[in-house]
Amino acid sequence: TLNDPQFLEASRAFAERLLKSDEEAVADRIDLAYRYATARPATGREVEILTNLYQKNLSRFKAAPETAKEFLGVGESPRDESLDASDHAAWMVVAQTIMNLNESLTRN
């Protein structure tokens, strides 16, 4: 699921939803994402790990904005260009990670 174009596009839309939420703090957005994806709050350790993941990717995408735009360009639906590309891409990685958890995936 991690590199599937539809999964990436869904992660981008999920990240956009987080960025447009009323939550502004990284920890609060991570908790919101967990509530959306798993119907439970994130644990302190999960928040810590995903905050580090977000910050690492934000730095990476700020250093290479063309990489952020390329990553955000996967899929057919247009992205909201009013959102900062580096921030959006970093949140996309967080959303992608949460969506790939066993408890987020539906299995038959």
Side-chain angles (χ1 to χ4, degrees):
T1 57
L2 280 175
N3 294 318
D4 179 85
Q6 290 178 332
F7 190 79
L8 289 170
E9 187 172 13
S11 298
R12 177 172 39 94
F14 191 15
E16 184 176 316
R17 184 175 183 186
L18 296 172
L19 285 166
K20 290 182 174 182
S21 75
D22 291 336
E23 304 298 345
E24 293 187 22
V26 172
D28 293 338
R29 283 185 180 159
I30 290 169
D31 188 63
L32 180 63
Y34 256 84
R35 289 175 189 276
Y36 284 153
T38 67
R40 69 165 178 85
T43 67
R45 181 73 176 132
E46 290 164 338
V47 170
E48 178 185 342
I49 290 167
L50 292 172
T51 296
N52 290 335
L53 180 68
Y54 166 75
Q55 291 171 340
K56 178 180 175 181
N57 280 281
L58 182 60
S59 295
R60 177 173 69 103
F61 287 126
K62 281 188 175 191
E66 66 285 346
T67 303
K69 289 180 182 177
E70 183 179 331
F71 186 52
L72 291 165
V74 175
E76 296 181 15
S77 65
R79 84 168 198 92
D80 185 343
E81 297 289 335
S82 70
L83 300 173
D84 176 75
S86 297
D87 196 34
H88 193 177
W91 278 107
M92 185 175 159
V93 172
V94 172
Q96 181 184 24
T97 302
I98 292 170
M99 289 174 59
N100 200 51
L101 295 171
N102 283 341
E103 65 188 300
S104 297
L105 297 171
T106 302
R107 296 196 171 146
N108 291 329

